[in-house]
Amino acid sequence: CNNFPERILMFGEGNFLRAFAGFIVERLNQNGYGGNIVALQGIEKGLCDIINAQDGLYTVIERGFEKGNVIERYSIISCLKRCINPYACYNEYLSVAKNPNLQVVISNTTEFGICYDESEKKENAIHKNFPAKLTHLLYERYKYFNGDIEKGLIILPCELIDKNGKKLYEIVLRYAAEWELEKGFLSWLDSANIFANTLVDRIVSGYPHGEAEEICNKLGYNDKLLDVCEPFLLWVIEADKKILNKFPLQNSGLDIVVTDDLTPYRTRKVRILNGAHTISVPAGHICGFETVEQMINDNIFYKYITKGIFDEIIPTFKGDKLNEYALDVIERFKNPYLNHKLLSISLNSISKFKTRVLPSIKDYVKIKDKAPYILTFSLAALIYFYQTGIDKFVNDEAKYISELKNIFNNHTEQENIVKAVMQNKILWEEDLTHIKYVEKAVTDHYLLILKKGMEKALREIVYD
């Protein structure tokens, strides 16, 4: 292990951050950065003990296609100095605030981590909510260094929500106000710290359970923290480039962008990568596929997904290198090593469809003055997916499940099911039947699925 100072606090010790942030910092250290990570266990039962038992050492395995070539790279990550369990050692966590070398906070607490919890009071002995923990740490740092503006931090949340930095900052401010922390702290929060919006893009499948023993035998050492990911990596950070003076990400040799507006990058990722998942996963599961790789290697689904991306999604917005990015996405979907489960991706599909596919449908109608063929089929497939799997394989918020069950139970005419689903404002926050041409297209597709089955309906769609 190296003896670099701890410059980065990582909220979360799971597979993603270790294969993303840990991987990046290791590259930076190879190019002269000289900084280590102290990680904070995210949930009560986490990996802290294993990380510390291995002295923070672990192996990242990049597997997949890169510009048409199959690659398999192994990188030993040595920049993770230690892990703290705040549920057992909260004061040890707070002591990190006193570290004069600390520069950066990176977090990945899932999409639900950046949230407000009214039960988090100032007097709580232990804060469990992520923004509350961060507020406490920042306040301790402010007090210890007497409001020194040079001791502010660069805060880079990696949670997959829009404007993640802005939302995190707003919740921290709310806690600071409710805990009646002094105005000087509020001023220091604003002037000394940077809460940046970020966008992360790397698929991490994590520990390779089925082949871990074989890999360790090949490597010649036992590693309980093996972490498998794809070669692709993109990090877009919306911030002033002055952050690079402290955190020289430009020296990593990786695709990391610091920009004053990440919106185009986010739109590109959400509509193309995430959108392609969302339009295909429900139909893919119904057709018997278990993973993205199995699905994309089927000729029908390949045509379905590529037509959806290139003919209906890309024409709806402007951005840089859209076709190039889309080709990368298709290549990433073919990665045989990731074992990316369709049912895992299908979690919370209603919300995902709203953010990932619905904007493309609306924009397509505006531009083309007709309904998109593939995207409206995907909504019909989604309705069928929920109808057939509501008590079996569907996993979504209780309020959505309740609404859909009521619709499925109370309508006998199949076309009325489509109308009722599309009109439900609890599901969509609007009435989708008001989008020109779309209701008829979705209904026609839905009736086709009922008549011919998903596989034959898809074949008819892609060869129409």
Side-chain angles (χ1 to χ4, degrees), residues 439-450:
E439 181 190 353
K440 183 181 185 305
V442 176
T443 303
D444 289 347
H445 292 319
Y446 179 76
L447 294 176
L448 180 66
I449 293 169
L450 291 179

Side-chain angles (χ1 to χ4, degrees), residues 358 362 422-426 428-432 435:
L358 194 54
K362 290 178 177 178
M422 293 183 66
Q423 286 181 326
N424 191 291
K425 292 185 179 180
I426 293 176
W428 311 112
E429 300 173 46
E430 61 179 302
D431 183 344
L432 301 189
I435 306 172

Side-chain angles (χ1 to χ4, degrees), residues 33-51:
Y33 173 57
N36 278 331
I37 297 170
V38 51
L40 198 68
Q41 184 169 293
I43 57 177
E44 292 194 47
K45 292 184 179 180
L47 297 172
C48 221
D49 290 343
I50 298 174
I51 289 172

Side-chain angles (χ1 to χ4, degrees), residues 57-295:
L57 294 168
Y58 63 95
T59 311
V60 168
I61 306 168
E62 297 173 274
R63 283 174 157 182
F65 296 103
E66 195 172 64
K67 304 304 179 188
N69 299 313
V70 178
I71 68 106
E72 185 171 27
R73 286 193 293 257
Y74 294 79
S75 301
I76 295 177
I77 308 302
S78 61
C79 59
L80 178 52
K81 190 72 171 178
R82 61 190 173 116
C83 185
I84 300 170
N85 179 356
Y87 301 92
C89 307
Y90 194 74
N91 286 333
E92 184 182 355
Y93 157 62
L94 289 181
S95 70
V96 175
K98 301 176 182 179
N99 175 4
N101 297 302
L102 192 67
Q103 296 174 323
V104 180
V105 171
I106 302 174
S107 69
N108 183 39
T109 57
T110 80
E111 294 93 318
F112 306 105
I114 298 181
C115 64
Y116 171 76
D117 183 349
E118 63 181 9
S119 70
E120 293 283 12
K121 308 298 182 184
K122 181 183 179 182
E123 60 272 13
N124 288 8
I126 295 176
H127 294 294
K128 296 184 178 181
N129 169 274
F130 162 50
K133 280 203 291 269
L134 180 60
T135 305
H136 196 176
L137 179 99
L138 290 170
Y139 185 56
E140 292 298 315
R141 188 168 182 82
Y142 164 78
K143 290 190 298 180
Y144 186 78
F145 290 106
N146 298 311
D148 185 347
I149 198 167
E150 294 299 320
K151 292 298 185 283
L153 302 175
I154 301 164
I155 298 160
L156 304 172
C158 296
E159 288 78 2
L160 296 175
I161 62 171
D162 192 20
K163 301 189 184 305
N164 45 21
K166 181 175 183 288
K167 290 177 180 176
L168 178 59
Y169 180 54
E170 288 170 351
I171 299 171
V172 168
L173 284 178
R174 182 172 180 179
Y175 281 128
E178 291 181 359
W179 296 352
E180 298 180 338
L181 305 180
E182 56 262 47
K183 290 182 179 179
F185 173 61
L186 296 178
S187 176
W188 180 81
L189 272 178
D190 179 57
S191 61
N193 299 274
I194 295 169
F195 287 75
N197 297 322
T198 79
L199 173 71
V200 297
D201 195 355
R202 175 171 246 191
I203 298 171
V204 177
S205 57
Y207 189 77
H209 290 279
E211 51 180 332
E213 184 177 354
E214 179 185 345
I215 291 172
C216 289
N217 287 337
K218 176 182 175 181
L219 293 173
Y221 56 84
N222 188 35
D223 185 350
K224 294 181 180 179
L225 297 166
L226 292 172
D227 206 355
V228 177
C229 63
E230 64 176 341
F232 186 93
L233 181 151
L234 172 67
W235 198 6
V236 184
I237 300 169
E238 190 176 80
D240 191 303
K241 284 186 169 59
K242 68 182 181 182
I243 69 166
L244 299 174
N245 296 330
K246 281 188 175 181
F247 197 33
L249 293 163
Q250 72 277 14
N251 297 335
S252 67
L254 300 169
D255 194 1
I256 302 176
V257 179
V258 178
T259 176
D260 59 2
D261 183 13
L262 64 69
T263 303
Y265 296 93
R266 177 175 177 79
T267 302
R268 185 180 71 175
K269 175 181 182 285
V270 169
R271 293 207 187 188
I272 297 177
L273 171 64
N274 302 129
H277 274 151
T278 303
I279 67 171
S280 59
V281 161
H285 175 77
I286 296 297
C287 288
F289 298 110
E290 293 186 4
T291 67
V292 172
E293 185 239 347
Q294 290 173 355
M295 183 174 65

